[in-house]
Amino acid sequence: MEFRPPKVLEKKPSVAGFDIKIAVVIVVGGILFLFAAIANFLVALIIPLIVFPYVQIELKFPGEGEFLTFIQYQSGVKCIRINQKIKGLVMNVKRKSDSD
């Protein structure tokens, strides 16, 4: 007999449509904003400026290491150096598409 978890437990847990990690960051950022607003409102404005970009990055790049890969791609060289003539490259592409 094999143990299989229920379908409900296989899903990723979420709160208000966000992952738990993102929801915790939003709640903690909101609480820090409220406490900082009591002490100094200008300092409290820094907290949403930290939380909002973090949430946007987490939503756009959900996988582990995707953001760093994106940054490396954007900062890397984006040209391809080929030591063949264009006619040879086109023929290679046609041969590959014919074999598929």
Side-chain angles (χ1 to χ4, degrees):
M1 184 175 197
E2 184 180 336
F3 174 74
R4 297 188 89 167
K7 292 283 185 190
V8 176
L9 296 177
E10 289 179 0
K11 295 180 182 177
K12 233 177 174 182
S14 62
V15 176
F18 297 112
D19 288 343
I20 289 181
K21 184 171 92 171
I22 295 174
V24 168
V25 169
I26 292 172
V27 169
V28 168
I31 291 171
L32 284 175
F33 176 77
L34 289 175
F35 284 121
I38 293 170
N40 189 348
F41 187 73
L42 293 176
V43 173
L45 292 177
I46 295 172
I47 295 169
L49 293 176
I50 295 170
V51 172
F52 184 72
Y54 175 78
V55 170
Q56 291 297 319
I57 289 171
E58 285 293 320
L59 291 176
K60 187 170 183 180
F61 305 103
E64 186 173 333
E66 283 185 18
F67 181 64
L68 292 177
T69 305
F70 177 73
I71 295 297
Q72 289 173 352
Y73 172 75
Q74 290 292 5
S75 63
V77 177
K78 294 189 181 81
C79 67
I80 300 172
R81 294 183 184 168
I82 300 172
N83 295 331
Q84 296 179 4
K85 293 183 179 179
I86 294 176
K87 187 176 181 181
L89 291 173
V90 171
M91 296 304 288
N92 287 338
V93 171
K94 284 184 180 179
R95 278 189 231 136
K96 286 183 182 179
S97 64
D98 291 340
S99 64
D100 290 340

